[in-house]
Amino acid sequence: LQKSANCGKIRNIIGSAHIIEPYTVRGFGIPASRKREAVKYTNILDKYKVALVLGGHNHSFQRTYPIDHGGDTSASLGKITTKEKTNYKGHAGVIYQEVSSTLYVYQMGEWDYLAHHLSEKGYITLESSQGGKKLEIKSWTLSGNVDSYTIERDISNSSN
């Protein structure tokens, strides 16, 4: 991550994990030791300005608003930086997205951090344009496109 973040050429860093910690820390009563590990993970994502983290553990489609953990060591979920749902410019925070194509889909319920949620199987497409400056993310189900948003960054500005 450090090499990618500091090379001056990569605009959007995308990570993946089976379990996306902000969901599991909040929703499934993870032990304190696991919460401490989650904080290390989220702080690394913030430090290197990761744009998007993909996962699938919860067997549903859900996407958070951008979240800034701000070096928080209390195992909290961090703060929502914007309630914008479709167009993110600069580094607003890390967006966590889950898309599941498994047989079983779990009903997750709504909570403040979710920008979009649907208990349906699906898949995701990512398209980069403008020399990597713009990343368009579309999530699909068998019934059609359910969510679409963009992350746009300019490497000429070090705050992005």
Side-chain angles (χ1 to χ4, degrees):
L1 279 176
Q2 182 177 16
K3 186 176 180 180
S4 295
N6 295 331
C7 77
K9 296 178 183 177
I10 297 175
R11 292 177 172 95
N12 289 298
I13 298 175
I14 302 168
S16 67
H18 175 74
I19 299 173
I20 300 175
E21 292 298 349
Y23 294 122
T24 56
V25 168
R26 182 182 190 281
F28 296 104
I30 300 298
S33 61
R34 182 67 182 261
K35 288 181 182 180
R36 284 191 293 278
E37 290 302 312
V39 167
K40 289 179 193 174
Y41 174 72
T42 56
N43 286 337
I44 290 169
L45 299 175
D46 281 342
K47 180 178 180 179
Y48 296 112
K49 297 184 179 180
V50 171
L52 177 66
V53 178
L54 304 172
H57 180 75
N58 287 329
H59 294 239
S60 67
F61 167 80
Q62 51 189 327
R63 169 173 66 90
T64 66
Y65 293 105
I67 298 172
D68 180 8
H69 302 90
D72 187 358
T73 58
S74 68
S76 78
L77 292 178
K79 67 177 182 175
I80 297 168
T81 61
T82 179
K83 289 272 188 160
E84 168 62 39
K85 289 189 176 188
T86 60
N87 190 16
Y88 305 104
K89 293 192 178 201
H91 181 68
V94 181
I95 296 171
Y96 298 88
Q97 171 140 13
E98 292 197 345
V99 177
S100 180
S101 60
T102 63
L103 180 61
Y104 301 105
V105 178
Y106 300 143
Q107 188 73 28
M108 292 302 296
E110 297 295 325
W111 57 289
D112 290 345
Y113 285 82
L114 291 182
H116 197 82
H117 168 76
L118 186 67
S119 292
E120 200 172 329
K121 293 185 274 186
Y123 61 95
I124 187 170
T125 59
L126 300 135
E127 183 178 317
S128 180
S129 62
Q130 298 177 12
K133 180 179 173 184
K134 186 174 183 178
L135 183 63
E136 184 175 9
I137 301 95
K138 293 181 181 178
S139 300
W140 307 82
T141 66
L142 296 178
S143 59
N145 183 352
V146 296
D147 187 41
S148 180
Y149 61 100
T150 60
I151 300 170
E152 195 169 337
R153 295 184 178 180
D154 185 350
I155 59 171
S156 64
N157 181 346
S158 63
S159 67
N160 287 336

